Amino acid sequence: MPINKKINRLLQYRSVLLRLQDLGFGTVFSYTLGKEVGVTAEQVRKDFSKFGIKGNKKGGYNINELIHTLGDIFHKDHLHKVILIGIGNIGTAILNYKGFRENMIEIVAGFDIDPVKYKKKYTVPVYPMEKIDEVINEYGVKTAIIAVPGIAAQEVCNRLTNAGINSILNISPAVLKVPPGVIIQNIQIGNALESLIYQTINLDE
Amino acid sequence: MPINKKINRLLQYRSVLLRLQDLGFGTVFSYTLGKEVGVTAEQVRKDFSKFGIKGNKKGGYNINELIHTLGDIFHKDHLHKVILIGIGNIGTAILNYKGFRENMIEIVAGFDIDPVKYKKKYTVPVYPMEKIDEVINEYGVKTAIIAVPGIAAQEVCNRLTNAGINSILNISPAVLKVPPGVIIQNIQIGNALESLIYQTINLDE
DNA sequence: TAGATTGTTAATCGATTAACAATC
DNA sequence: TAGATTGTTAATCGATTAACAATC
């Protein structure tokens, strides 16, 4: 149930490594990698150790190998198909985000209740809600992003889980109830901002 | 450095309590509140205990009192002023989000490099980047939201910290470096989605 | 009263950090 | 070689869970 911090760190290592690779570096030390991500070198080595990732004593880690191994762990050998419900401002931002494809994630379709959206030109087709089941079956989609207003989120969520979706990224402010077995991850900007403001006020802690 | 889970839970309790209050409930048990938020009753009581919040043996917690106490903890007696940099799709979604005002957060101004945005009618004025320092000083703003593309985020971040901002909500995909003392909270949708997909693939764990 | 619920102390669990041997 | 870095084991820390007395 607790969102796996280790997984998040590994993903961050990977994204830093891709940047370092781009810059032409061949190897990296745990210390450097940790500094980039904001964790200690021990943390980096420990994380790698858990996944059987080996470096070279004194020589650090080979960046190409490391990216390859992390790619295996995250199954970056094929595209992961995702659907997006709600093509409002946030939904559109997500549709336009280039970073997904680079990381082997593909949004295969968008859905919205507003017919205007079906005609507009997006990078992927946008359909009415009624077509959700069809698309899920056709593409074998397992993961969905909910970007509708809070008030509509639970209904959309039910529809998705009924259609066989087993993991949901919820970007609406609603707290969603899902059947057992369905994984849900919430991104609540309002909550994050309130938490940040609290920390700002109580800087001493 | 680790984002305070306890604070996040307290904020979630508060939001559930506001809903329950709206529905006309007068009291709530730790068990009920926990269920709504997805934690155990013990967790709820422990969290409350840490902040000196008292309930009634057998009678549960008085919702009005609880909301009031949580309001004190989070300083909900006055508006918290925030600025928003980047009025693209995500930025516009944030500008339009009604939930901030309800929770005593006010976005006092937006900023963008695109002059078209200055003329458009938003709920708050949108200015060129050059006006950031002026607005920060005028309103005494301490917290900023960065919603610009990843490539521009670090530069914006530097500008903000130089201008005296001490906490940043970063919604860009960039990993930002900030001077010591500045609190940064990242919301990375791409990362969250990758993490979710990993969990979906490895459902056994 | 009996049963239900709170509030707190103790036990457990997991994650992070420290220490250090291995070795390139 | 000496110094630097990895990889792992042990120690610490903090958060969660369990247990249970208090009591309404």
Side-chain angles (χ1 to χ4, degrees):
Chain A
M1 198 64 43
I3 304 136
N4 207 328
K5 284 185 163 188
K6 213 180 306 163
I7 296 305
N8 266 298
R9 283 198 303 268
L10 285 176
L11 286 165
Q12 289 190 272
Y13 299 150
R14 184 168 176 277
S15 114
V16 168
L17 288 165
L18 288 170
R19 202 173 71 223
L20 293 177
Q21 187 184 47
D22 238 32
L23 294 171
F25 289 96
T27 60
V28 67
F29 298 130
S30 57
Y31 173 81
T32 316
L33 195 49
K35 195 163 188 189
E36 284 301 305
V37 170
V39 300
T40 64
E42 292 77 16
Q43 182 75 272
V44 173
R45 297 203 298 273
K46 191 90 188 205
D47 288 338
F48 285 175
S49 171
K50 277 277 170 62
F51 284 87
I53 294 170
K54 300 279 176 185
N56 308 299
K57 298 269 162 70
K58 178 138 191 218
Y61 298 84
N62 180 297
I63 292 179
N64 288 340
E65 275 178 29
L66 205 39
I67 288 172
H68 189 267
T69 308
L70 289 168
D72 284 348
I73 291 169
F74 292 111
H75 294 74
K76 295 297 186 190
D77 57 325
H78 66 277
L79 279 172
H80 298 273
K81 293 174 174 28
V82 171
I83 56 171
L84 170 65
I85 328 297
I87 314 296
N89 283 311
I90 291 196
T92 304
I94 292 172
L95 271 191
N96 292 335
Y97 179 52
K98 300 286 184 303
F100 288 137
R101 179 58 72 118
E102 286 167 20
N103 288 303
M104 300 307 276
I105 292 171
E106 182 190 23
I107 299 176
V108 294
F111 298 90
D112 202 287
I113 50 165
D114 180 2
V116 172
K117 308 285 168 69
Y118 315 149
K119 291 179 215 152
K120 260 194 178 178
K121 282 277 172 235
Y122 296 97
T123 46
V124 303
V126 173
Y127 302 116
M129 298 295 197
E130 290 72 33
K131 251 199 137 190
I132 287 181
D133 290 67
E134 193 185 320
V135 170
I136 287 175
N137 289 326
E138 189 181 330
Y139 289 96
V141 178
K142 292 290 170 207
T143 303
I145 306 171
I146 297 182
V148 301
I151 190 92
Q154 185 63 59
E155 198 198 319
V156 166
C157 178
N158 297 344
R159 184 163 213 156
L160 290 169
T161 52
N162 284 335
I165 285 294
N166 58 25
S167 60
I168 292 171
L169 183 66
N170 174 35
I171 303 180
S172 88
V175 178
L176 301 177
K177 299 256 168 74
V178 290
V182 174
I183 307 168
I184 188 151
Q185 186 148 337
N186 297 295
I187 289 194
Q188 291 169 332
I189 295 182
N191 204 283
L193 190 53
E194 285 188 82
S195 169
L196 187 63
I197 288 170
Y198 175 84
Q199 291 174 67
T200 311
I201 296 170
N202 304 63
L203 274 178
D204 38 308
E205 286 169 38
Chain B
M1 199 63 44
I3 305 134
N4 209 331
K5 285 185 162 188
K6 212 179 306 162
I7 295 306
N8 266 296
R9 283 199 303 269
L10 286 175
L11 287 165
Q12 289 190 270
Y13 300 149
R14 184 168 175 277
S15 115
V16 168
L17 288 164
L18 289 170
R19 203 173 70 224
L20 293 176
Q21 188 185 46
D22 237 32
L23 294 171
F25 290 96
T27 60
V28 67
F29 298 130
S30 57
Y31 174 80
T32 317
L33 194 49
K35 194 162 190 190
E36 284 301 306
V37 171
V39 301
T40 64
E42 291 79 14
Q43 182 74 273
V44 173
R45 297 203 298 275
K46 192 90 190 210
D47 287 338
F48 285 175
S49 172
K50 278 278 171 64
F51 285 86
I53 294 171
K54 298 280 176 186
N56 308 301
K57 296 268 160 71
K58 180 136 189 223
Y61 299 83
N62 180 297
I63 292 179
N64 288 340
E65 275 178 28
L66 205 39
I67 289 172
H68 190 267
T69 308
L70 289 169
D72 285 348
I73 292 170
F74 292 109
H75 294 75
K76 295 299 185 188
D77 57 325
H78 66 276
L79 279 172
H80 298 273
K81 294 177 176 25
V82 170
I83 55 170
L84 170 65
I85 328 297
I87 314 298
N89 283 309
I90 291 195
T92 305
I94 292 172
L95 270 192
N96 292 334
Y97 179 52
K98 300 286 185 302
F100 287 137
R101 179 59 71 121
E102 286 168 19
N103 289 302
M104 300 305 275
I105 292 170
E106 181 189 25
I107 299 176
V108 294
F111 298 90
D112 203 286
I113 51 164
D114 180 4
V116 172
K117 309 286 169 67
Y118 313 150
K119 290 180 214 151
K120 263 195 177 176
K121 281 279 172 234
Y122 297 96
T123 46
V124 304
V126 173
Y127 303 116
M129 298 295 197
E130 290 72 33
K131 250 198 139 189
I132 286 181
D133 289 67
E134 192 185 320
V135 171
I136 286 175
N137 288 327
E138 189 182 330
Y139 289 96
V141 177
K142 291 291 170 208
T143 304
I145 306 171
I146 297 183
V148 301
I151 190 90
Q154 185 63 60
E155 197 198 319
V156 167
C157 176
N158 297 344
R159 185 163 212 157
L160 291 169
T161 53
N162 283 336
I165 286 293
N166 57 27
S167 59
I168 293 172
L169 183 65
N170 173 35
I171 303 180
S172 87
V175 178
L176 301 177
K177 299 256 170 74
V178 291
V182 174
I183 306 168
I184 187 150
Q185 186 147 335
N186 297 294
I187 290 192
Q188 290 168 335
I189 296 183
N191 205 284
L193 190 54
E194 286 188 82
S195 169
L196 187 62
I197 289 171
Y198 176 84
Q199 291 174 68
T200 312
I201 297 171
N202 304 64
L203 275 177
D204 40 305
E205 287 167 37

